[in-house]
Amino acid sequence: MTKDRYTVWENCLRTIKSSIGAQSYKTWFEPIKPVALDDAVLTIQVPNKFFYEWLEEHYVGLLKATIQKELGDQAKLEYQILMSQANGERQANGNGGRGHSDSSLGFMPDAFMNPFVIPGIKQVKVDPHLNKNYHFDNFIEGDCNKLARSAGMAVAKKPGGTAFNPLVIYGQVGLGKTHLAQAIGNEALKTNKSKTVLYGTTESFTNQIIQAIKNNAVNEFVAYYQNIDILILDDIQFLANKVKTQEIFFHIFNHLHQSGRQIILTSDRPPKDLEGMEERLISRFKWGLTTDLQAPDLETRIAILEAKMQHDGIVLPREVVEYVCYNIKDNIRELEGVLNSIAAQASLNQRTIDVDLAREVVRKFVKEAHRELTLAHIQEQVAEHYNIPVDKLRAKTRKRPVVIARQLSMFLAKNLTNKSLKTIGEMFGGRDHSTVIYSCRAVQDMMDTDREFRSTVESLEKQLSMAS
Ligand code: ADP
Ligand code: MG
């Protein structure tokens, strides 16, 4: 009775399955199709050249033994590489005789067209697309990033050689994900120039895939990525709902991971909260280390700002640094934006760098969302500071301490919230907008002439902006 190729291959698979890990089996054997059985020659189809090379490198002994068990000592294995499905299943066939079930088995396709790889050169120099300005030296350490930073450093020193694979860094926008991920790439290259590092945004990755699909070059695309020693993919939340991109990334991920290459991913949320993402991908993201970047505390913000000032050659008075860092809390990019903006105002408009200028600039940066500060809260704080009942601020009293407290509350309300003059006036016993303007001017005048009053205002401001 002659055996058919399906039965033979199924029997082989059973043996293989019992000899290797479930994960490897799934990745490397499930996608294989038996395409022909001719005497003792079994031809199997593999998705791409790397697949073939991987099997050759890692499973040749196992394959040989299994196939011989099924088909006898004369058994041979031949590969067929699927070039492109979109191309009517065009297949590359072996050259020069039958394959053999030893390490010289298989073949190289006649024309392995790869737009990403220059023919004849095995290791193509890949442009890592790294920004040289992002390195560890200027990634200030704080409690907010300690674990992520040291895991990143470990990965850079020993890519693929730690348990942190993949290294997933997540955190909100502007907290340093891109900086840290790129610092790892730069550091790894510093230690070992021959490593192939590639940084890419998920957006560019997706666009390349679309391009590859158009050009029938998906296999080549995958092969190109499978050459990478350290792959950094930034903002993977943008993979959401992109089924084809996820599928291709899945294969690349598996290949890289199995061959001990390093994968670094960033995301704006923890993997488990990624929506529109295949479960099998999410579960792989959890294989390594998932670590977050949190908003930096005040001391770290000050250290970051000072480092940036030194780098840019900008000098800010201490109280301006503090004012800025008190007010810009959860986005380091905004912190830098404020610094640049203050520097620009100072040099272009000849402004003195002081807290007044900082306040103006900060107000432009701090978004509505950051300032949930309510007028009532301001009133309470000021009343408490002056030790007067809060309702006095809304009453008609003209007693001096109450008037000052009231004016100051209006001033703070105007500066720390986005409420209109009209709304502010209403909250102070139905006063009109001109009263609010007048109060603000009075406070400003007093601040200019009375240092003690000025410091009271500034400390209340700090206190309030820290609470918001
Ligand atoms: P994300 O990718 O998380 O949105 P980025 O990496 O783009 O954030 O960081 C925003 C800006 O803040 C960058 O200019 C970066 O250099 C800076 N930055 C973030 N974290 C730090 C840090 N710990 N030390 C110094 N600069 C930092
Ligand atoms: Mg980023």
Side-chain angles (χ1 to χ4, degrees):
M1 193 191 92
T2 50
K3 294 180 179 174
D4 73 277
R5 60 183 194 264
Y6 298 106
T7 322
V8 168
W9 184 239
E10 257 170 41
N11 291 343
C12 291
L13 282 182
R14 233 191 318 277
T15 314
I16 292 167
K17 198 172 187 173
S18 63
S19 353
I20 64 173
Q23 199 54 56
S24 307
Y25 175 80
K26 205 162 173 232
T27 310
W28 299 108
F29 291 92
E30 277 188 0
I32 296 176
K33 287 190 194 125
V35 287
L37 179 62
D38 192 1
D39 291 335
V41 180
L42 176 70
T43 307
I44 58 172
Q45 187 186 69
V46 296
N48 57 51
K49 180 177 153 242
F50 273 83
F51 215 97
Y52 148 75
E53 286 181 354
W54 185 264
L55 290 173
E56 278 287 86
E57 231 177 276
H58 298 88
Y59 299 110
V60 71
L62 177 63
L63 276 167
K64 182 177 175 176
T66 345
I67 286 169
Q68 284 179 344
K69 195 175 128 212
E70 284 304 308
L71 297 172
D73 288 350
Q74 299 308 307
K76 293 197 190 325
L77 181 68
E78 190 169 318
Y79 293 86
Q80 192 176 68
I81 298 179
L82 189 62
M83 290 293 284
S84 164
Q85 285 170 335
N87 210 5
E89 299 249 322
R90 178 163 63 90
Q91 287 150 358
N93 273 303
N95 55 6
R98 296 287 185 204
H100 330 278
S101 53
D102 60 31
S103 62
S104 66
L105 110 184
F107 63 91
M108 288 297 288
D110 283 331
F112 187 78
M113 282 168 39
N114 187 344
F116 299 105
V117 177
I118 302 158
I121 300 176
K122 194 166 179 292
Q123 195 73 345
V124 185
K125 197 78 208 125
V126 170
D127 175 356
H129 288 92
L130 288 169
N131 180 340
K132 290 268 173 289
N133 295 323
Y134 290 141
H135 40 85
F136 276 102
D137 294 347
N138 63 3
F139 191 77
I140 307 294
E141 183 178 319
D143 286 343
C144 54
N145 60 31
K146 214 179 213 102
L147 176 62
R149 191 180 187 280
S150 56
M153 190 54 117
V155 159
K157 295 281 179 230
K158 243 178 128 192
T162 68
F164 313 148
N165 199 15
L167 177 64
V168 182
I169 303 162
Y170 74 91
Q172 284 177 9
V173 68
L175 292 184
K177 300 182 294 295
T178 300
H179 186 141
L180 180 57
Q182 295 220 22
I184 298 170
N186 280 319
E187 183 68 28
L189 277 179
K190 211 164 77 185
T191 328
N192 188 345
K193 284 209 169 39
S194 65
K195 287 267 182 245
T196 310
V197 179
L198 183 64
Y199 165 87
T201 61
T202 299
E203 206 184 359
S204 72
F205 183 78
T206 306
N207 289 337
Q208 286 172 27
I209 287 181
I210 294 170
Q211 221 42 50
I213 292 172
K214 266 195 209 150
N215 298 334
N216 287 334
V218 173
N219 289 335
E220 289 77 1
F221 172 85
V222 170
Y224 172 76
Y225 271 84
Q226 289 178 340
N227 262 323
I228 310 297
D229 294 313
I230 303 174
L231 177 63
I232 306 167
L233 198 57
D234 205 355
D235 288 321
I236 54 161
Q237 70 271 13
F238 294 126
L239 283 176
N241 301 317
K242 304 205 171 88
V243 177
K244 187 71 189 165
T245 307
Q246 286 183 30
E247 184 192 317
I248 292 172
F249 179 61
F250 180 75
H251 286 292
I252 293 170
F253 183 102
N254 285 338
H255 176 93
L256 294 181
H257 197 271
Q258 300 233 1
S259 44
R261 323 288 180 77
Q262 181 69 46
I263 301 154
I264 297 147
L265 307 169
T266 80
S267 164
D268 70 352
R269 64 202 79 175
K272 67 173 174 50
D273 295 345
L274 287 165
E275 281 160 22
M277 196 78 91
E278 278 191 63
E279 211 34 63
R280 59 179 187 167
L281 263 180
I282 293 184
S283 78
R284 269 160 180 71
F285 295 160
K286 293 180 193 154
W287 280 355
L289 178 74
T290 298
T291 171
D292 66 333
L293 292 176
Q294 290 179 351
D297 55 28
L298 180 65
E299 288 72 20
T300 311
R301 298 202 292 278
I302 291 178
I304 291 174
L305 188 60
E306 284 179 340
K308 187 89 183 130
M309 283 158 52
Q310 197 179 11
H311 177 265
D312 296 352
I314 303 170
V315 182
L316 301 187
R318 181 72 196 180
E319 69 267 21
V320 171
V321 170
E322 283 183 5
Y323 181 87
V324 170
C325 293
Y326 267 119
N327 286 283
I328 308 283
K329 295 190 195 98
D330 29 37
N331 188 326
I332 298 168
R333 192 174 294 124
E334 270 179 19
L335 206 58
E336 295 175 347
V338 167
L339 175 65
N340 294 338
S341 189
I342 290 177
Q345 288 281 347
S347 74
L348 301 175
N349 298 337
Q350 316 283 304
R351 295 276 306 264
T352 320
I353 300 183
D354 55 15
V355 174
D356 288 338
L357 173 59
R359 186 182 296 119
E360 254 175 58
V361 172
V362 164
R363 283 187 62 194
K364 287 202 204 98
F365 273 84
V366 177
K367 288 183 232 105
E368 190 77 35
H370 294 179
R371 22 181 73 256
E372 288 297 301
L373 199 56
T374 62
L375 298 184
H377 183 63
I378 293 173
Q379 291 175 336
E380 280 160 22
Q381 292 286 308
V382 175
E384 190 184 305
H385 178 84
Y386 284 97
N387 200 15
I388 52 177
V390 71
D391 52 7
K392 285 257 166 31
L393 296 178
R394 302 180 202 122
K396 299 266 176 250
T397 318
R398 293 194 158 275
K399 287 208 178 92
R400 181 78 182 152
V402 177
V403 171
I404 291 177
R406 186 186 297 131
Q407 290 179 334
L408 177 51
S409 307
M410 290 187 192
F411 172 90
L412 293 172
K414 166 133 191 322
N415 282 327
L416 300 180
T417 75
N418 290 338
K419 299 281 186 286
S420 69
L421 295 170
K422 187 165 174 281
T423 310
I424 295 172
E426 280 164 3
M427 275 295 283
F428 288 86
R431 291 172 158 87
D432 67 12
H433 78 279
S434 60
T435 310
V436 181
I437 294 175
Y438 175 83
S439 301
C440 292
R441 267 198 215 129
V443 169
Q444 192 64 59
D445 285 348
M446 263 195 293
M447 282 171 73
D448 292 345
T449 51
D450 181 343
R451 287 180 69 177
E452 200 182 325
F453 179 72
R454 173 179 271 271
S455 78
T456 303
V457 177
E458 284 173 1
S459 78
L460 272 168
E461 254 176 356
K462 270 186 195 174
Q463 197 181 322
L464 285 165
S465 46
M466 279 171 78
S468 68

